[in-house]
Amino acid sequence: MSIKNKYFTIPDKYILLLIFISALFLVSMVHYASKTYKIPEWDEQHYMQMATGFYRLLKHPTVSTPYEMLQIVPFRQPGYPLSIQPFLLFFGISHYYFWGLFTNGLYYVASFFGIYFISKSYLTKRSSFLAAIFFSCYGWPLLHVHLAYSETAVSALTIWSIVFLIKSNLFQNRKYSLLFGLFLGLGLLTKWIIVIYVAGFLLYEFYQIKKIRLINKNVIINITLSLLVTFVVAFYPYVANAQWMFSYFYEHRSGGAMWQIVPEYETNPLSVYSLTFYLNTFAQLGIVQFALFIAGFLLALRKSSKLKGITLVIIFGYVFSCFALLKGDRYIIPIFPYLAILSGSVFDQIKNIRYKTLLILICLAFSFFTFLGTVWGKGPMKHGFYALPPHLPFGQWDRIYITTVSRPPYIYKISGKEILDYIDQDSKVSKIKDPQVLSLFYYHSLDEPLMTYNLYNRENPFQITNFIGTTITNPEKDAQYITETIKNSDYVLTKTGIRTDSNFSKENYTTLKALILLFDNYFKISDYYEAKETIWIYQDSSEVSIWKKKSNISIDELHKMQEQLFHILKNEYETRG
């Protein structure tokens, strides 16, 4: 119980423990985010592009700013990048990725308390607390809280939507009904998938209303008002980008062009592959947590169980995910809180105190070592996924995992930032406004951090050109355009070692290789540019040289470049047919 006096209320011991654990987790999150050398990858790029793009627009807002913000990545919902804005507007974008991960940490901590409050409606306080602790140390959610995806935010907003839905007492309480509508709206603003994870529990609430004949004027008004709040909060992005969002949904959920190039078993939601894909994800929590969840799920199916709504959240989320073309562990992250709740419910069913205590200690030990292994790469689980040999005939789920996934900070130094920092300092000294940079290489492991730092960390990104992905369509016009780029370039970057990799198909490198050939065999770069700095590249133990323009290139020299480049491009174009 809470202890009350005249001035304040002391929370119960489990809330105090959650506050303490949350504080430790945030300290760990700050340390992790400040030490890792990882950069945004894949869809993380979308959310960080939105976050930094929103920042730049909000620094100088106009009437059209809301619409312009939604066009940065029009098929993504803006909620998660918007929640990063207070930090970016106060601290700037030089550490944008840190603040993205820190925001995820806040959402994750909010999930602990939400799980506790949901569980407390059905379980004892101790079991509710254990459910929150189990979730806080689940391998997959822990991994993704350290990645700049929106799933952690969706999880937290889904949880709190259900917290307020429970507190609304079947929509009899108006305040909590409105709060349910607000958090559902915020969830939709973050990702539309929240509808799936709330729908099961909401339908169960409607069933209860009908069952006990609670349909009256007050309940109907509260339901209407809550849904109206949801609509007002979330409608604008869906209206403004309806075509983009429908196209994205169609491609990944309903049968777009992507569905024609993958095996049939991946597109069939009833195939063994689809039905067991996420069962395998659950199994990768480790044998103890997986067995605990299965036991909790089976107990919840009993007629006397009060956890029917929780099981529907899991069933709706799981079944819907089977219909997705793209399957991956992160897409089902919002379901893990409910696995933890069912896991916690098992302890209320064990009557033998010794067995219960022993099981709790085993689960807490696994949780603790999972946290150490997943976040810091320490302890017996630091390598992740100790598994028995595959013998199970269940499709994707073909083995027993003793431990869970592990993802320590990326501790290896990567280069890229130093190159742009030097150009930034030198251009300011030379009073070069908006310097143009020509890169005579594409090495993905270097270009990815270089371009990421340029686009997201800098208030005013440099224009960096390397012609990667530029195919030859008209050798004469292409040669003229490339020569004009050389003429306008204030700095040129060259690299030893790998200069063009195999990250993309060969066609993407043809123009860049032609430009490299031009300076390797026909023109000396030192005739036009002065070597200013050499920077060591950790990724492949090479060097990047930064060259600065000595003076304007003469018209005659530019004509010679253009003519020679034309012949190189024409030869390549004709060779390709």
Side-chain angles (χ1 to χ4, degrees):
M1 290 181 61
S2 300
I3 302 173
K4 298 182 179 180
N5 64 26
K6 183 178 180 181
Y7 300 104
F8 59 89
T9 300
I10 300 176
D12 66 61
K13 62 181 180 181
Y14 293 113
I15 291 291
L16 291 174
L17 279 171
L18 280 179
I19 292 172
F20 176 71
I21 290 169
S22 298
L24 290 179
F25 178 81
L26 288 177
V27 170
S28 174
M29 192 73 192
V30 168
H31 189 256
Y32 180 104
S34 62
K35 295 297 182 182
T36 183
Y37 285 110
K38 187 184 177 300
I39 59 171
E41 297 176 314
W42 303 104
D43 287 357
E44 287 185 286
Q45 294 275 10
H46 292 164
Y47 294 111
M48 294 299 95
Q49 181 183 353
M50 293 170 74
T52 54
F54 292 177
Y55 165 82
R56 293 186 176 102
L57 289 170
L58 291 172
K59 291 282 284 187
H60 307 284
T62 64
V63 175
S64 62
T65 293
Y67 180 78
E68 291 173 5
M69 290 168 67
L70 294 178
Q71 301 316 303
I72 294 175
V73 184
F75 53 86
R76 297 288 185 198
Q77 287 79 60
Y80 171 52
L82 278 174
S83 61
I84 304 172
Q85 292 310 299
F87 299 110
L88 298 187
L89 290 170
F90 188 81
F91 295 103
I93 61 172
S94 59
H95 299 289
Y96 74 101
Y97 194 51
F98 171 90
W99 293 116
L101 298 184
F102 182 74
T103 302
N104 260 356
L106 294 178
Y107 278 121
Y108 203 58
V109 164
S111 297
F112 302 167
F113 291 93
I115 290 169
Y116 178 76
F117 289 129
I118 291 177
S119 302
K120 205 168 63 166
S121 300
Y122 310 106
L123 314 177
T124 62
K125 288 184 178 181
R126 180 172 62 181
S127 295
S128 300
F129 172 75
L130 290 172
I133 294 302
F134 294 159
F135 171 77
S136 73
C137 295
Y138 273 172
W140 284 119
L142 263 180
L143 190 158
H144 286 92
V145 76
H146 296 95
L147 300 174
Y149 292 127
S150 64
E151 274 69 23
T152 301
V154 174
S155 291
L157 293 168
T158 303
I159 291 165
W160 280 94
S161 295
I162 292 179
V163 167
F164 292 124
L165 183 55
I166 292 171
K167 285 184 171 294
S168 74
N169 191 22
L170 300 178
F171 289 100
Q172 295 181 88
N173 185 299
R174 181 159 299 175
K175 180 180 75 172
Y176 288 117
S177 297
L178 294 176
L179 284 171
F180 162 71
L182 173 63
F183 274 77
L184 180 58
L186 292 173
L188 281 169
L189 202 63
T190 303
K191 199 167 187 178
W192 65 268
I193 197 71
I194 190 175
V195 171
I196 304 302
Y197 291 103
V198 171
F201 200 94
L202 184 60
L203 289 175
Y204 185 73
E205 293 289 281
F206 288 156
Y207 167 76
Q208 293 296 317
I209 290 173
K210 181 180 178 182
K211 182 180 178 181
I212 63 176
R213 299 179 180 179
L214 196 59
I215 302 174
N216 55 52
K217 182 179 179 182
N218 183 58
V219 168
I220 293 173
I221 290 175
N222 289 343
I223 292 173
T224 303
L225 289 175
S226 67
L227 296 179
L228 182 61
V229 170
T230 299
F231 176 80
V232 170
V233 171
F235 86 98
Y236 181 60
Y238 291 91
V239 173
N241 290 331
Q243 184 175 355
W244 278 99
M245 291 187 183
F246 176 79
S247 298
Y248 186 80
F249 181 91
Y250 177 72
E251 286 293 325
H252 294 86
R253 299 280 176 176
S254 304
M258 292 179 62
W259 289 65
Q260 309 305 316
I261 59 176
V262 298
E264 188 275 336
Y265 67 85
E266 291 189 28
T267 63
N268 179 9
L270 299 180
S271 67
V272 174
Y273 170 86
S274 294
L275 292 175
T276 61
F277 186 93
Y278 288 112
L279 186 63
N280 184 56
T281 300
F282 298 161
Q284 289 171 357
L285 291 175
I287 182 61
V288 173
Q289 293 291 9
F290 182 63
L292 203 61
F293 153 64
I294 294 298
F297 186 83
L298 294 176
L299 289 171
L301 296 179
R302 295 179 305 170
K303 187 175 181 180
S304 60
S305 174
K306 298 179 180 178
L307 292 166
K308 297 292 194 304
I310 301 300
T311 61
L312 286 177
V313 174
I314 296 172
I315 292 169
F316 269 58
Y318 193 98
V319 171
F320 183 80
S321 298
C322 292
F323 284 82
L325 174 63
L326 295 180
K327 294 179 174 66
D329 48 82
R330 77 178 177 93
Y331 299 121
I332 206 165
I333 289 299
I335 213 171
F336 283 97
Y338 310 98
L339 307 190
I341 292 171
L342 293 187
S343 298
S345 70
V346 173
F347 296 102
D348 285 346
Q349 305 302 316
I350 302 175
K351 304 305 180 183
N352 188 296
I353 300 299
R354 290 183 179 180
Y355 291 156
K356 181 188 294 190
T357 302
L358 178 62
L359 182 58
I360 289 174
L361 291 175
I362 291 173
C363 291
L364 289 177
F366 267 86
S367 295
F368 176 72
F369 289 122
T370 295
F371 179 84
L372 286 183
T374 304
V375 178
W376 297 114
K378 305 290 185 181
M381 297 188 191
K382 63 182 178 181
H383 300 297
F385 286 158
Y386 292 103
L388 299 179
H391 292 301
L392 303 175
F394 299 129
Q396 283 295 103
W397 180 39
D398 63 352
R399 65 188 68 194
I400 299 296
Y401 295 92
I402 306 302
T403 58
T404 187
V405 63
S406 180
R407 178 65 176 270
Y410 191 84
I411 59 174
Y412 301 103
K413 172 73 175 177
I414 56 175
S415 304
K417 177 179 182 293
E418 301 88 346
I419 297 170
L420 298 182
D421 284 346
Y422 180 86
I423 294 173
D424 182 52
Q425 295 170 9
D426 189 78
S427 62
K428 287 177 180 176
V429 171
S430 304
K431 297 182 179 180
I432 301 173
K433 186 178 181 181
D434 299 325
Q436 308 295 299
V437 182
L438 176 63
S439 176
L440 297 183
F441 62 83
Y442 182 86
Y443 173 52
H444 184 76
S445 297
L446 172 59
D447 278 78
E448 192 72 8
L450 189 150
M451 293 300 181
T452 296
Y453 180 80
N454 182 50
L455 291 175
Y456 307 142
N457 287 69
R458 295 184 53 77
E459 294 276 351
N460 299 300
F462 296 137
Q463 182 177 325
I464 303 176
T465 305
N466 61 11
F467 293 104
I468 190 71
T470 305
T471 55
I472 304 169
T473 55
N474 185 319
E476 184 176 358
K477 289 184 178 180
D478 292 343
Q480 182 180 355
Y481 174 70
I482 295 170
T483 306
E484 189 70 18
T485 302
I486 296 172
K487 171 189 172 184
N488 295 329
S489 296
D490 301 291
Y491 296 89
V492 172
L493 306 178
T494 61
K495 182 180 181 296
T496 62
I498 300 173
R499 293 193 287 176
T500 57
D501 58 21
S502 57
N503 191 67
F504 303 112
S505 60
K506 293 181 179 180
E507 292 76 13
N508 288 284
Y509 297 93
T510 52
T511 303
L512 173 58
K513 286 184 175 180
L515 188 56
I516 293 173
L517 183 63
L518 178 73
F519 283 106
D520 278 353
N521 296 346
Y522 302 100
F523 295 92
K524 287 185 178 180
I525 194 170
S526 57
D527 290 342
Y528 315 104
Y529 291 85
E530 174 188 5
K532 296 291 292 184
E533 185 66 69
T534 299
I535 294 174
W536 179 257
I537 304 303
Y538 289 86
Q539 287 90 311
D540 67 338
S541 300
S542 63
E543 292 180 338
V544 165
S545 295
I546 302 174
W547 301 77
K548 183 180 178 182
K549 185 187 291 183
K550 295 178 182 178
S551 59
N552 289 329
I553 305 174
S554 68
I555 295 177
D556 288 341
E557 289 293 327
L558 286 172
H559 280 314
K560 290 179 183 178
M561 282 187 184
Q562 183 175 331
E563 183 178 354
Q564 188 59 56
L565 192 55
F566 165 71
H567 289 301
I568 296 171
L569 294 172
K570 182 181 179 183
N571 181 62
E572 176 65 28
Y573 185 71
E574 291 175 348
T575 301
R576 288 172 48 207

